[in-house]
C-alpha cells in the first residue's frame, strides 16, 4: 500500500516544526531528509528512521521493521511525530551521526587532450 498524500503531509508538517525537513518521492513512497541528510522513509503510512545511536537510545522500545520489501536496513518505526521536543532530539542527534551527503560528480564533456 502506498503512502497517502494526507499522511505524508501530516508527517512533513510535524517534522518541519523541528527544522529543515524535506521529502523526495520514490516509487510511491518517500525518502525523508533533515538538513540535506537522509534520515529515513515514509512507507505504507509509517515513518521509519535510520537506527542511529540517538534513535535507539531515545526510542528503545520502538518497533523495528523493514520499510519495504527488499530493504536492507532495519528501521525504527516512529509513532508520536507530534511530540516536537522528542522529534527535535531525534533529528538533531541523527544529524551528527549520519555521514555527509555524497557530492555529485561534475559531468565531463568528453576525453580531454585528444586531437
Amino acid at each position: 500500500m502506498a503512502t497517502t498524500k494526507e499522511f505524508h503531509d501530516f508527517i512533513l508538517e510535524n517534522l518541519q516544526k523541528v527544522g529543515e525537513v524535506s521529502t523526495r518521492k520514490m516509487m510511491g513512497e518517500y525518502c525523508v531528509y533533515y538538513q540535506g541528510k537522509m534520515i529515513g522513509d515514509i512507507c505504507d503510512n509509517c515513518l521509519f528512521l535510520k537506527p542511529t545511536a540517538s534513535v535507539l537510545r531515545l526510542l528503545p522500545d520502538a518497533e523495528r521493521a523493514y520499510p519495504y520489501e527488499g530493504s536492507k536496513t532495519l528501521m525504527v518505526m516512529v509513532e508520536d511525530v507530534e511530540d516536537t521536543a522528542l522529534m527535535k532530539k531525534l533529528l538533531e542527534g541523527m544529524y551528527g551521526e549520519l555521514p555527509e551527503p555524497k557530492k555529485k560528480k561534475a559531468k565531463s564533456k568528453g576525453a580531454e587532450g585528444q586531437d
Side-chain angles (χ1 to χ4, degrees):
M1 171 180 98
T3 296
T4 64
K5 178 168 178 14
E6 293 79 17
F7 185 80
H8 165 269
D9 293 349
F10 168 76
I11 296 295
L12 189 58
E13 178 183 320
N14 280 285
L15 293 181
Q16 286 178 336
K17 293 175 185 175
V18 172
E20 180 189 327
V21 175
S22 61
T23 60
R24 183 184 315 161
K25 193 165 189 168
M26 188 168 274
M27 297 181 291
E29 304 296 356
Y30 300 87
C31 296
V32 182
Y33 298 85
Y34 176 65
Q35 296 181 13
K37 292 183 179 182
M38 186 175 164
I39 60 165
D41 300 301
I42 301 172
C43 297
D44 292 333
N45 285 341
C46 292
L47 172 63
F48 295 89
L49 294 179
K50 290 186 174 189
T52 66
S54 292
V55 171
L56 297 175
R57 185 181 75 255
L58 293 166
L59 299 173
D61 299 323
E63 185 177 341
R64 303 323 191 252
Y66 293 96
Y68 53 89
E69 188 175 326
S71 171
K72 294 180 183 175
T73 305
L74 185 66
M75 307 282 256
V76 176
M77 293 176 62
V78 180
E79 304 263 332
D80 193 8
V81 296
E82 294 177 284
D83 184 341
T84 305
L86 174 61
M87 296 312 298
K88 183 174 179 67
K89 287 178 188 175
L90 285 168
L91 298 189
E92 288 178 353
M94 292 180 77
Y95 186 83
E97 296 165 347
L98 292 170
E100 291 296 322
K102 293 180 182 176
K103 302 286 184 198
K104 292 183 180 179
K105 293 181 181 180
K107 292 182 181 178
S108 65
K109 294 183 180 179
E112 295 180 8
Q114 291 183 355
D115 293 340

